[in-house]
Amino acid sequence: MNTIDKVIYTARVHTTGGGNACSDDGRLLLQLSPPEAPGVGTNPWQLFAAGWSACFLESLGHIAHLREVALPEDAAVDAEVDLGATPGGFAIQARLRVTLPGIDLESACALVNAAHAASPYSKATNGNIAVSIDLA
């Protein structure tokens, strides 16, 4: 298990049974709904996909900076998170698709592998869920 030596940031979100989630600073205010339910609202699996893709892109930027590689402005990470049934209840699996236009394949692979090793979401899911990462 990784332990934190120094806390850099703490996210605080209050979620109610009525289907609302709000951060303590008011910058996040969401309506929640089950997957594929009619109407408005997002669900935990979309939030997980958004969080992981954003985190992974941030990790790519950090690694690129350390390696003095210019990360293209149109770099992107698409995340898909599946919710499925298991004998013990439910589980998730994920796929990340990374787009690094203008970076050669060898360098892009090296950046993606290093970002996957550095990303807090990747570390948290390592060995816990099925994950695949592809370069677009």
Side-chain angles (χ1 to χ4, degrees):
M1 175 190 329
N2 293 318
T3 58
I4 294 176
D5 295 327
K6 178 183 174 187
V7 174
I8 297 170
Y9 174 75
T10 300
R12 292 179 180 87
V13 175
H14 178 74
T15 302
T16 67
N20 293 304
C22 182
S23 62
D24 65 339
D25 61 5
R27 293 173 70 180
L28 175 76
L29 178 59
L30 297 170
Q31 288 183 306
L32 303 171
S33 64
E36 300 181 2
V40 298
T42 187
N43 61 66
W45 324 116
Q46 290 173 328
L47 294 172
F48 190 82
W52 197 353
S53 61
C55 178
F56 201 92
L57 190 58
E58 189 173 294
S59 294
L60 276 168
H62 176 72
I63 297 299
H65 175 75
L66 291 176
R67 295 182 179 190
E68 298 180 354
V69 173
L71 198 64
E73 284 188 29
D74 52 351
V77 178
D78 295 295
E80 296 179 342
V81 175
D82 300 319
L83 170 65
T86 67
F90 300 97
I92 61 173
Q93 62 187 18
R95 292 170 302 285
L96 301 179
R97 185 177 186 119
V98 180
T99 306
L100 297 173
I103 297 181
D104 66 89
L105 183 59
E106 184 178 334
S107 298
C109 285
L111 286 172
V112 167
N113 289 336
H116 188 48
S119 165
Y121 272 74
S122 294
K123 289 178 183 179
T125 59
N126 185 29
N128 296 311
I129 68 170
V131 176
S132 68
I133 301 177
D134 296 308
L135 272 168

PDB file of all heavy atoms in Angstrom, residues 88-115:
ATOM      1  N   GLY A  88     -20.122 -12.523  -6.682  1.00  0.00           N
ATOM      2  CA  GLY A  88     -20.179 -11.885  -5.371  1.00  0.00           C
ATOM      3  C   GLY A  88     -20.886 -10.548  -5.355  1.00  0.00           C
ATOM      4  O   GLY A  88     -20.902  -9.861  -4.344  1.00  0.00           O
ATOM      5  N   GLY A  89     -21.465 -10.129  -6.464  1.00  0.00           N
ATOM      6  CA  GLY A  89     -22.144  -8.835  -6.503  1.00  0.00           C
ATOM      7  C   GLY A  89     -21.870  -8.086  -7.793  1.00  0.00           C
ATOM      8  O   GLY A  89     -22.347  -8.462  -8.849  1.00  0.00           O
ATOM      9  N   PHE A  90     -21.051  -7.040  -7.704  1.00  0.00           N
ATOM     10  CA  PHE A  90     -20.757  -6.203  -8.858  1.00  0.00           C
ATOM     11  C   PHE A  90     -19.270  -5.913  -8.930  1.00  0.00           C
ATOM     12  O   PHE A  90     -18.569  -5.986  -7.923  1.00  0.00           O
ATOM     13  CB  PHE A  90     -21.521  -4.871  -8.779  1.00  0.00           C
ATOM     14  CG  PHE A  90     -23.004  -5.045  -8.744  1.00  0.00           C
ATOM     15  CD1 PHE A  90     -23.684  -5.040  -7.542  1.00  0.00           C
ATOM     16  CD2 PHE A  90     -23.719  -5.222  -9.913  1.00  0.00           C
ATOM     17  CE1 PHE A  90     -25.056  -5.209  -7.497  1.00  0.00           C
ATOM     18  CE2 PHE A  90     -25.099  -5.391  -9.886  1.00  0.00           C
ATOM     19  CZ  PHE A  90     -25.766  -5.389  -8.673  1.00  0.00           C
ATOM     20  N   ALA A  91     -18.793  -5.567 -10.116  1.00  0.00           N
ATOM     21  CA  ALA A  91     -17.398  -5.187 -10.305  1.00  0.00           C
ATOM     22  C   ALA A  91     -17.317  -4.242 -11.501  1.00  0.00           C
ATOM     23  O   ALA A  91     -18.272  -4.106 -12.268  1.00  0.00           O
ATOM     24  CB  ALA A  91     -16.522  -6.422 -10.545  1.00  0.00           C
ATOM     25  N   ILE A  92     -16.162  -3.598 -11.628  1.00  0.00           N
ATOM     26  CA  ILE A  92     -15.926  -2.733 -12.777  1.00  0.00           C
ATOM     27  C   ILE A  92     -14.666  -3.185 -13.505  1.00  0.00           C
ATOM     28  O   ILE A  92     -13.813  -3.880 -12.940  1.00  0.00           O
ATOM     29  CB  ILE A  92     -15.810  -1.245 -12.387  1.00  0.00           C
ATOM     30  CG1 ILE A  92     -14.643  -1.007 -11.428  1.00  0.00           C
ATOM     31  CG2 ILE A  92     -17.116  -0.729 -11.829  1.00  0.00           C
ATOM     32  CD1 ILE A  92     -14.359   0.468 -11.142  1.00  0.00           C
ATOM     33  N   GLN A  93     -14.579  -2.784 -14.751  1.00  0.00           N
ATOM     34  CA  GLN A  93     -13.364  -2.938 -15.544  1.00  0.00           C
ATOM     35  C   GLN A  93     -13.249  -1.673 -16.385  1.00  0.00           C
ATOM     36  O   GLN A  93     -14.235  -0.943 -16.559  1.00  0.00           O
ATOM     37  CB  GLN A  93     -13.415  -4.183 -16.422  1.00  0.00           C
ATOM     38  CG  GLN A  93     -14.527  -4.172 -17.444  1.00  0.00           C
ATOM     39  CD  GLN A  93     -14.645  -5.501 -18.169  1.00  0.00           C
ATOM     40  OE1 GLN A  93     -14.148  -6.527 -17.718  1.00  0.00           O
ATOM     41  NE2 GLN A  93     -15.318  -5.486 -19.316  1.00  0.00           N
ATOM     42  N   ALA A  94     -12.041  -1.389 -16.875  1.00  0.00           N
ATOM     43  CA  ALA A  94     -11.845  -0.114 -17.564  1.00  0.00           C
ATOM     44  C   ALA A  94     -10.911  -0.233 -18.749  1.00  0.00           C
ATOM     45  O   ALA A  94     -10.043  -1.109 -18.798  1.00  0.00           O
ATOM     46  CB  ALA A  94     -11.288   0.913 -16.577  1.00  0.00           C
ATOM     47  N   ARG A  95     -11.124   0.682 -19.689  1.00  0.00           N
ATOM     48  CA  ARG A  95     -10.258   0.831 -20.847  1.00  0.00           C
ATOM     49  C   ARG A  95      -9.920   2.298 -21.000  1.00  0.00           C
ATOM     50  O   ARG A  95     -10.805   3.157 -20.927  1.00  0.00           O
ATOM     51  CB  ARG A  95     -10.970   0.334 -22.120  1.00  0.00           C
ATOM     52  CG  ARG A  95     -11.190  -1.165 -22.141  1.00  0.00           C
ATOM     53  CD  ARG A  95     -12.098  -1.599 -23.264  1.00  0.00           C
ATOM     54  NE  ARG A  95     -13.428  -0.980 -23.245  1.00  0.00           N
ATOM     55  CZ  ARG A  95     -14.402  -1.307 -22.403  1.00  0.00           C
ATOM     56  NH1 ARG A  95     -14.208  -2.237 -21.470  1.00  0.00           N
ATOM     57  NH2 ARG A  95     -15.575  -0.707 -22.464  1.00  0.00           N
ATOM     58  N   LEU A  96      -8.631   2.588 -21.205  1.00  0.00           N
ATOM     59  CA  LEU A  96      -8.181   3.939 -21.491  1.00  0.00           C
ATOM     60  C   LEU A  96      -7.624   3.952 -22.904  1.00  0.00           C
ATOM     61  O   LEU A  96      -6.872   3.054 -23.288  1.00  0.00           O
ATOM     62  CB  LEU A  96      -7.093   4.386 -20.506  1.00  0.00           C
ATOM     63  CG  LEU A  96      -7.451   4.390 -19.020  1.00  0.00           C
ATOM     64  CD1 LEU A  96      -6.245   4.826 -18.202  1.00  0.00           C
ATOM     65  CD2 LEU A  96      -8.641   5.282 -18.749  1.00  0.00           C
ATOM     66  N   ARG A  97      -7.971   4.967 -23.659  1.00  0.00           N
ATOM     67  CA  ARG A  97      -7.433   5.151 -25.007  1.00  0.00           C
ATOM     68  C   ARG A  97      -6.759   6.510 -25.032  1.00  0.00           C
ATOM     69  O   ARG A  97      -7.407   7.535 -24.832  1.00  0.00           O
ATOM     70  CB  ARG A  97      -8.534   5.062 -26.044  1.00  0.00           C
ATOM     71  CG  ARG A  97      -8.000   5.128 -27.444  1.00  0.00           C
ATOM     72  CD  ARG A  97      -9.123   4.961 -28.457  1.00  0.00           C
ATOM     73  NE  ARG A  97      -8.527   4.903 -29.756  1.00  0.00           N
ATOM     74  CZ  ARG A  97      -8.612   3.877 -30.570  1.00  0.00           C
ATOM     75  NH1 ARG A  97      -9.289   2.813 -30.209  1.00  0.00           N
ATOM     76  NH2 ARG A  97      -8.041   3.901 -31.749  1.00  0.00           N
ATOM     77  N   VAL A  98      -5.458   6.503 -25.257  1.00  0.00           N
ATOM     78  CA  VAL A  98      -4.653   7.718 -25.176  1.00  0.00           C
ATOM     79  C   VAL A  98      -4.305   8.195 -26.589  1.00  0.00           C
ATOM     80  O   VAL A  98      -3.867   7.405 -27.421  1.00  0.00           O
ATOM     81  CB  VAL A  98      -3.356   7.458 -24.372  1.00  0.00           C
ATOM     82  CG1 VAL A  98      -2.516   8.713 -24.276  1.00  0.00           C
ATOM     83  CG2 VAL A  98      -3.696   6.916 -22.986  1.00  0.00           C
ATOM     84  N   THR A  99      -4.494   9.468 -26.830  1.00  0.00           N
ATOM     85  CA  THR A  99      -4.171  10.086 -28.115  1.00  0.00           C
ATOM     86  C   THR A  99      -3.081  11.130 -27.885  1.00  0.00           C
ATOM     87  O   THR A  99      -3.279  12.068 -27.115  1.00  0.00           O
ATOM     88  CB  THR A  99      -5.413  10.760 -28.725  1.00  0.00           C
ATOM     89  OG1 THR A  99      -6.474   9.805 -28.796  1.00  0.00           O
ATOM     90  CG2 THR A  99      -5.122  11.306 -30.111  1.00  0.00           C
ATOM     91  N   LEU A 100      -1.930  10.917 -28.532  1.00  0.00           N
ATOM     92  CA  LEU A 100      -0.794  11.840 -28.416  1.00  0.00           C
ATOM     93  C   LEU A 100      -0.317  12.213 -29.820  1.00  0.00           C
ATOM     94  O   LEU A 100       0.720  11.746 -30.283  1.00  0.00           O
ATOM     95  CB  LEU A 100       0.345  11.200 -27.611  1.00  0.00           C
ATOM     96  CG  LEU A 100       0.035  10.859 -26.158  1.00  0.00           C
ATOM     97  CD1 LEU A 100       1.180  10.069 -25.534  1.00  0.00           C
ATOM     98  CD2 LEU A 100      -0.242  12.128 -25.369  1.00  0.00           C
ATOM     99  N   PRO A 101      -1.068  13.070 -30.518  1.00  0.00           N
ATOM    100  CA  PRO A 101      -0.708  13.433 -31.887  1.00  0.00           C
ATOM    101  C   PRO A 101       0.673  14.087 -31.954  1.00  0.00           C
ATOM    102  O   PRO A 101       1.027  14.898 -31.103  1.00  0.00           O
ATOM    103  CB  PRO A 101      -1.780  14.434 -32.305  1.00  0.00           C
ATOM    104  CG  PRO A 101      -2.847  14.348 -31.277  1.00  0.00           C
ATOM    105  CD  PRO A 101      -2.243  13.770 -30.047  1.00  0.00           C
ATOM    106  N   GLY A 102       1.419  13.690 -32.977  1.00  0.00           N
ATOM    107  CA  GLY A 102       2.728  14.302 -33.197  1.00  0.00           C
ATOM    108  C   GLY A 102       3.855  13.691 -32.401  1.00  0.00           C
ATOM    109  O   GLY A 102       5.005  14.095 -32.547  1.00  0.00           O
ATOM    110  N   ILE A 103       3.572  12.734 -31.545  1.00  0.00           N
ATOM    111  CA  ILE A 103       4.629  12.070 -30.775  1.00  0.00           C
ATOM    112  C   ILE A 103       4.817  10.678 -31.370  1.00  0.00           C
ATOM    113  O   ILE A 103       3.851   9.931 -31.561  1.00  0.00           O
ATOM    114  CB  ILE A 103       4.274  11.991 -29.274  1.00  0.00           C
ATOM    115  CG1 ILE A 103       4.161  13.406 -28.699  1.00  0.00           C
ATOM    116  CG2 ILE A 103       5.315  11.177 -28.517  1.00  0.00           C
ATOM    117  CD1 ILE A 103       3.842  13.461 -27.224  1.00  0.00           C
ATOM    118  N   ASP A 104       6.061  10.338 -31.670  1.00  0.00           N
ATOM    119  CA  ASP A 104       6.331   9.036 -32.292  1.00  0.00           C
ATOM    120  C   ASP A 104       5.906   7.906 -31.360  1.00  0.00           C
ATOM    121  O   ASP A 104       5.820   8.072 -30.142  1.00  0.00           O
ATOM    122  CB  ASP A 104       7.815   8.905 -32.673  1.00  0.00           C
ATOM    123  CG  ASP A 104       8.722   8.872 -31.460  1.00  0.00           C
ATOM    124  OD1 ASP A 104       8.973   7.774 -30.939  1.00  0.00           O
ATOM    125  OD2 ASP A 104       9.167   9.967 -31.024  1.00  0.00           O
ATOM    126  N   LEU A 105       5.623   6.753 -31.962  1.00  0.00           N
ATOM    127  CA  LEU A 105       5.052   5.622 -31.232  1.00  0.00           C
ATOM    128  C   LEU A 105       5.906   5.185 -30.049  1.00  0.00           C
ATOM    129  O   LEU A 105       5.390   4.951 -28.951  1.00  0.00           O
ATOM    130  CB  LEU A 105       4.830   4.440 -32.184  1.00  0.00           C
ATOM    131  CG  LEU A 105       4.173   3.207 -31.577  1.00  0.00           C
ATOM    132  CD1 LEU A 105       2.802   3.540 -31.009  1.00  0.00           C
ATOM    133  CD2 LEU A 105       4.070   2.097 -32.609  1.00  0.00           C
ATOM    134  N   GLU A 106       7.205   5.093 -30.231  1.00  0.00           N
ATOM    135  CA  GLU A 106       8.090   4.653 -29.140  1.00  0.00           C
ATOM    136  C   GLU A 106       8.038   5.626 -27.962  1.00  0.00           C
ATOM    137  O   GLU A 106       7.911   5.214 -26.804  1.00  0.00           O
ATOM    138  CB  GLU A 106       9.524   4.513 -29.651  1.00  0.00           C
ATOM    139  CG  GLU A 106      10.481   3.958 -28.612  1.00  0.00           C
ATOM    140  CD  GLU A 106      11.900   3.774 -29.151  1.00  0.00           C
ATOM    141  OE1 GLU A 106      12.064   3.603 -30.380  1.00  0.00           O
ATOM    142  OE2 GLU A 106      12.822   3.807 -28.330  1.00  0.00           O
ATOM    143  N   SER A 107       8.124   6.914 -28.247  1.00  0.00           N
ATOM    144  CA  SER A 107       8.067   7.923 -27.181  1.00  0.00           C
ATOM    145  C   SER A 107       6.696   7.944 -26.518  1.00  0.00           C
ATOM    146  O   SER A 107       6.588   8.079 -25.294  1.00  0.00           O
ATOM    147  CB  SER A 107       8.388   9.314 -27.743  1.00  0.00           C
ATOM    148  OG  SER A 107       9.686   9.352 -28.259  1.00  0.00           O
ATOM    149  N   ALA A 108       5.631   7.810 -27.334  1.00  0.00           N
ATOM    150  CA  ALA A 108       4.276   7.813 -26.791  1.00  0.00           C
ATOM    151  C   ALA A 108       4.071   6.623 -25.857  1.00  0.00           C
ATOM    152  O   ALA A 108       3.500   6.774 -24.772  1.00  0.00           O
ATOM    153  CB  ALA A 108       3.261   7.793 -27.926  1.00  0.00           C
ATOM    154  N   CYS A 109       4.545   5.447 -26.263  1.00  0.00           N
ATOM    155  CA  CYS A 109       4.435   4.259 -25.402  1.00  0.00           C
ATOM    156  C   CYS A 109       5.166   4.464 -24.086  1.00  0.00           C
ATOM    157  O   CYS A 109       4.662   4.104 -23.021  1.00  0.00           O
ATOM    158  CB  CYS A 109       4.986   3.031 -26.112  1.00  0.00           C
ATOM    159  SG  CYS A 109       3.906   2.383 -27.383  1.00  0.00           S
ATOM    160  N   ALA A 110       6.350   5.039 -24.150  1.00  0.00           N
ATOM    161  CA  ALA A 110       7.128   5.289 -22.934  1.00  0.00           C
ATOM    162  C   ALA A 110       6.401   6.258 -22.012  1.00  0.00           C
ATOM    163  O   ALA A 110       6.360   6.061 -20.789  1.00  0.00           O
ATOM    164  CB  ALA A 110       8.515   5.810 -23.293  1.00  0.00           C
ATOM    165  N   LEU A 111       5.807   7.309 -22.587  1.00  0.00           N
ATOM    166  CA  LEU A 111       5.054   8.280 -21.777  1.00  0.00           C
ATOM    167  C   LEU A 111       3.835   7.625 -21.131  1.00  0.00           C
ATOM    168  O   LEU A 111       3.565   7.827 -19.939  1.00  0.00           O
ATOM    169  CB  LEU A 111       4.608   9.466 -22.634  1.00  0.00           C
ATOM    170  CG  LEU A 111       5.667  10.468 -23.051  1.00  0.00           C
ATOM    171  CD1 LEU A 111       5.096  11.459 -24.057  1.00  0.00           C
ATOM    172  CD2 LEU A 111       6.224  11.207 -21.840  1.00  0.00           C
ATOM    173  N   VAL A 112       3.106   6.833 -21.911  1.00  0.00           N
ATOM    174  CA  VAL A 112       1.903   6.175 -21.396  1.00  0.00           C
ATOM    175  C   VAL A 112       2.254   5.194 -20.278  1.00  0.00           C
ATOM    176  O   VAL A 112       1.600   5.171 -19.232  1.00  0.00           O
ATOM    177  CB  VAL A 112       1.132   5.480 -22.538  1.00  0.00           C
ATOM    178  CG1 VAL A 112       0.076   4.529 -21.999  1.00  0.00           C
ATOM    179  CG2 VAL A 112       0.500   6.525 -23.442  1.00  0.00           C
ATOM    180  N   ASN A 113       3.292   4.409 -20.466  1.00  0.00           N
ATOM    181  CA  ASN A 113       3.695   3.457 -19.426  1.00  0.00           C
ATOM    182  C   ASN A 113       4.120   4.173 -18.146  1.00  0.00           C
ATOM    183  O   ASN A 113       3.762   3.749 -17.042  1.00  0.00           O
ATOM    184  CB  ASN A 113       4.815   2.555 -19.931  1.00  0.00           C
ATOM    185  CG  ASN A 113       4.335   1.573 -20.975  1.00  0.00           C
ATOM    186  OD1 ASN A 113       3.157   1.242 -21.031  1.00  0.00           O
ATOM    187  ND2 ASN A 113       5.240   1.116 -21.827  1.00  0.00           N
ATOM    188  N   ALA A 114       4.878   5.254 -18.285  1.00  0.00           N
ATOM    189  CA  ALA A 114       5.310   6.011 -17.107  1.00  0.00           C
ATOM    190  C   ALA A 114       4.122   6.695 -16.427  1.00  0.00           C
ATOM    191  O   ALA A 114       4.041   6.743 -15.198  1.00  0.00           O
ATOM    192  CB  ALA A 114       6.372   7.033 -17.501  1.00  0.00           C
ATOM    193  N   ALA A 115       3.186   7.221 -17.224  1.00  0.00           N
ATOM    194  CA  ALA A 115       1.997   7.863 -16.650  1.00  0.00           C
ATOM    195  C   ALA A 115       1.142   6.842 -15.914  1.00  0.00           C
ATOM    196  O   ALA A 115       0.601   7.130 -14.843  1.00  0.00           O
ATOM    197  CB  ALA A 115       1.192   8.552 -17.746  1.00  0.00           C
TER     198      ALA A 115
END
